[in-house]
Amino acid sequence: MTSSTSSRGAATWTLLSLAIGSFGIGMTEFVVMGLLPQISADLLPALTAADPEAAIAQAGWLISLYALGVVVGAPTIAASVAKYPRHRVMLGLAAALTLFNALTFLTPSFELIAASRLLAGLPHGAYFGIGALVAADVLGPGSRAKGAAFVLTGLTLANVVGVPLGTFLGQQLGWRIAFAIVAGIFALATVLIGLFVPAHAGDPDRTLRAELRAFGMPQVWFAIGIGAIGFGGFFAAYSYIAPVVTDVAGAPEWAVPIVLVLMGLGMTIGNLVGGHLADIDLKRTLLGGFVLFIVVQALLALTAAWIVTLGVFVFALGAVTSALSPTIQSRLMSVAGDNQSIAAALNHSALNIGNALGAFLGGLVIAHGFGFIAPIWVGLVLAVAGFALALVSYALQERRPAAVPA
């Protein structure tokens, strides 16, 4: 199916169906961050009574476990299903996301919820990766980054609406209600994908072994490292944004959803702008985005004690990091040659290595008594490292241009 053989209305319903699923993914991934105090108090009451900061840091493991699921699931699932019809694969992934998020809502203990978060992360990367291929085909030639950005639009809108609403309802009605909503969103996405995503052939000649050849390409590893280390900087700051709002800026608890809305607005705008700019000039968008990322992290760390400037730079942080997401995905797909299914999914492995790394290092410095600003400084260091990797990657490409596919 291409844009020339499908009506505009059919294409719109296809993209909307995929975006609703990505909305659910955005909500399930990020709503935990705004509810860490409630989750730790409910699941770790003894530790919360003895050391609230340590309890929040341990609850942060749920973020890392979800990210670990993405890291493991994205390449293995995407490579394994590359030969199957993509519309059926997307239907199966949406159904799995429904089930695993329902388990998070239903299971009683920290250990079982930790397991459910790991499982919920498994379909994440394959959903975005294969969905981006479907979206790019619908949008037509020359729209690889735009296709990735469109599917990611649901995720960024989740940070405008779903995450703040889920956080607010979780604060008022118990944190589990957020995951009941998430499971319902995935159930809706499953139905819509079944109804509106038309038959879309996979590549019958692709095998797991063939797709895994991407790991033999040095530039693929550089692109993974850029996403993993660079985005670790974002997640180090974002994972602990709720206590920054309440404990550092001294704002009331109800301000947390408002700050999350600002983050989501920034992410939505940045994602669309980044997808457009990356299709124009990938290298400049990637390197320039990292420079802005570093500057914004520094300003956020220096001004987080004031709620107004905190809101401004949280918005900016969401914008610059989301502009980088489709850019890094396009870079991965550019350097991976024919291995497009796994390349599209590997971006989400990379970003969620960053999620796990950032949440872990942020929790580590908090647990060692450095306070809630410390994760933002950790994020700054990781952003600088990601920028350095991007510079090295392009320098090596200029020396050996034939090694990188067009």
Side-chain angles (χ1 to χ4, degrees), residues 77-86 89 130 200-208 211 341:
I77 295 174
S80 298
V81 301
K83 66 180 180 180
Y84 296 111
R86 289 172 181 162
V89 171
I130 297 170
H200 197 289
D203 186 347
D205 297 326
R206 299 307 296 176
T207 64
L208 175 61
E211 287 287 318
S341 291

Side-chain angles (χ1 to χ4, degrees), residues 168-308:
F168 175 76
L169 293 175
Q171 290 171 343
Q172 304 303 315
L173 304 174
W175 65 268
R176 292 178 187 272
I177 192 68
F179 291 95
I181 294 170
V182 166
I185 291 168
F186 282 127
L188 174 62
T190 303
V191 172
L192 292 177
I193 289 170
L195 290 174
F196 296 113
V197 176
H200 197 289
D203 186 347
D205 297 326
R206 299 307 296 176
T207 64
L208 175 61
R209 183 176 180 180
E211 287 287 318
L212 292 178
R213 288 175 190 156
F215 289 109
M217 301 175 177
Q219 284 291 351
V220 168
W221 284 104
F222 271 108
I224 292 171
I226 291 165
I229 296 175
F231 266 74
F234 170 69
F235 287 108
Y238 189 24
S239 295
Y240 302 96
I241 198 66
V244 171
V245 172
T246 55
D247 292 33
V248 176
E253 192 175 71
W254 54 259
V256 174
I258 297 174
V259 172
L260 294 176
V261 168
L262 292 173
M263 176 70 83
L265 287 171
M267 292 176 73
T268 302
I269 294 169
N271 174 60
L272 296 174
V273 171
H276 176 72
L277 294 178
D279 279 331
I280 296 172
D281 192 321
L282 181 59
K283 180 179 178 180
R284 288 186 179 181
T285 303
L286 182 60
L287 297 180
F290 263 108
V291 171
L292 289 174
F293 185 17
I294 292 164
V295 171
V296 169
Q297 286 272 49
L299 293 173
L300 177 62
L302 292 170
T303 64
W306 297 279
I307 188 62
V308 173

Side-chain angles (χ1 to χ4, degrees), residues 134 243 306 342:
V134 174
W306 297 279
I342 193 169

Side-chain angles (χ1 to χ4, degrees), residues 15 18 90 93 125-137 147-148 151 344:
L15 296 172
L18 297 174
M90 295 302 296
L93 292 171
Y127 183 97
F128 276 118
I130 297 170
L133 295 176
V134 174
D137 203 31
V151 177

